[in-house]
Amino acid sequence: DTGVSQDPRHKITKRGQNVTFRCDPISEHNRLYWYRQTLGQGPEFLTYFQNEAQLEKSRLLSDRFSAERPKGSFSTLEIQRTEQGDSAMYLCASSIGQGWNEQYFGPGTRLTVT
Amino acid sequence: GQQVMQIPQYQHVQEGEDFTTYCNSSTTLSNIQWYKQRPGGHPVFLIQLVKSGEVKKQKRLTFQFGEAKKNSSLHITATQTTDVGTYFCAGHKAGTALIFGKGTTLSVSS
């Protein structure tokens, strides 16, 4: 399968714990995006990378969230001191090129904070 | 800030009926993309519109981008049960990220 993969697919954690998610984009894609989706909503942009550079981060994103893409391939999204409001589906997508082109989404990581 | 609104939120049709979802932006967009998300699935890209007044067709699906580049529509002719899912428009303006609407969820009964 050469699509976008995400790990884990499901994560249950207690409030206050840190969690880290991984995304492996399509191999030749230089752009990688993170979104959050809650029930009844569209994907909400969190941040994106072009190669290893993080070019934009949502102003609504808490400083408890951090993302990396150290070698311009896979990316990690870490949430520190999780809160119940962080419960959501975290989607990763990738695309090729310089603009906001067709994005290929992964299956997502569903986070539940208890 | 930039918002992308979609109506209706839900639509139920009988198989064979037509379906239309509308997308409106508060600001002029550089382009608009449409995605489909099946229940339990992830968004899948359908199409991108860039030019003012652009119309594109994919089999039974017709996509339009308004003259002012502030609105768009997706029309499905003769719906089938395989069309079930949530359809999202996502607008992009220069200097901003892609903004998704809340989606229109389509259900089809046979």
Side-chain angles (χ1 to χ4, degrees):
Chain A
D1 189 339
T2 57
V4 178
S5 61
Q6 293 187 244
D7 184 70
R9 296 290 305 276
H10 304 272
K11 179 70 177 178
I12 300 173
T13 191
K14 292 186 178 181
R15 189 175 52 191
Q17 298 294 305
N18 298 344
V19 294
T20 300
F21 309 142
R22 176 180 170 124
C23 171
D24 286 87
I26 294 172
S27 59
E28 65 268 26
H29 285 190
N30 57 322
R31 283 202 171 189
L32 185 149
Y33 312 82
W34 285 100
Y35 293 88
R36 175 172 58 194
Q37 187 176 29
T38 54
L39 196 62
Q41 303 293 319
E44 175 194 3
F45 171 78
L46 297 179
T47 188
Y48 88 97
F49 295 83
Q50 183 158 299
N51 301 312
E52 65 276 6
Q54 187 174 16
L55 295 189
E56 187 172 346
K57 188 175 176 181
S58 170
R59 288 173 293 174
L60 303 177
L61 198 59
S62 162
D63 57 8
R64 296 183 296 105
F65 287 68
S66 62
E68 294 183 341
R69 195 184 184 197
K71 297 182 180 179
S73 56
F74 74 92
S75 176
T76 57
L77 177 68
E78 181 184 17
I79 309 174
Q80 296 182 327
R81 306 181 301 282
T82 52
E83 302 173 357
Q84 287 188 323
D86 297 332
S87 296
M89 177 71 82
Y90 289 84
L91 293 165
C92 175
S94 68
S95 70
I96 196 164
Q98 301 301 310
W100 289 81
N101 300 318
E102 171 181 355
Q103 296 186 19
Y104 293 80
F105 281 81
T109 294
R110 181 168 296 284
L111 173 66
T112 302
V113 182
T114 61
Chain B
Q2 179 185 351
Q3 289 187 351
V4 174
M5 310 297 291
Q6 271 188 267
I7 55 170
Q9 188 175 359
Y10 301 98
Q11 182 78 60
H12 177 78
V13 298
Q14 294 288 323
E15 191 173 22
E17 292 181 336
D18 293 355
F19 159 77
T20 304
T21 173
Y22 300 91
C23 181
N24 294 287
S25 168
S26 56
T27 58
T28 301
L29 299 170
S30 300
N31 63 61
I32 197 156
Q33 298 176 11
W34 285 90
Y35 290 80
K36 177 183 178 181
Q37 186 170 24
R38 287 199 162 95
H42 56 273
V44 174
F45 176 83
L46 294 176
I47 209 155
Q48 175 169 281
L49 305 170
V50 178
K51 299 177 183 177
S52 169
E54 189 169 17
V55 178
K56 287 188 176 181
K57 292 190 176 184
Q58 288 180 351
K59 297 183 180 178
R60 295 179 294 104
L61 278 60
T62 302
F63 303 84
Q64 292 188 325
F65 201 9
E67 294 291 339
K69 300 183 74 173
K70 286 187 175 182
N71 57 73
S72 181
S73 65
L74 158 59
H75 179 82
I76 303 178
T77 303
T79 54
Q80 300 175 358
T81 54
T82 53
D83 295 325
V84 163
T86 300
Y87 293 85
F88 293 100
C89 65
H92 171 58
K93 179 180 175 181
T96 70
L98 201 61
I99 305 297
F100 281 78
K102 291 187 177 182
T104 296
T105 298
L106 172 65
S107 59
V108 180
S109 54
S110 56

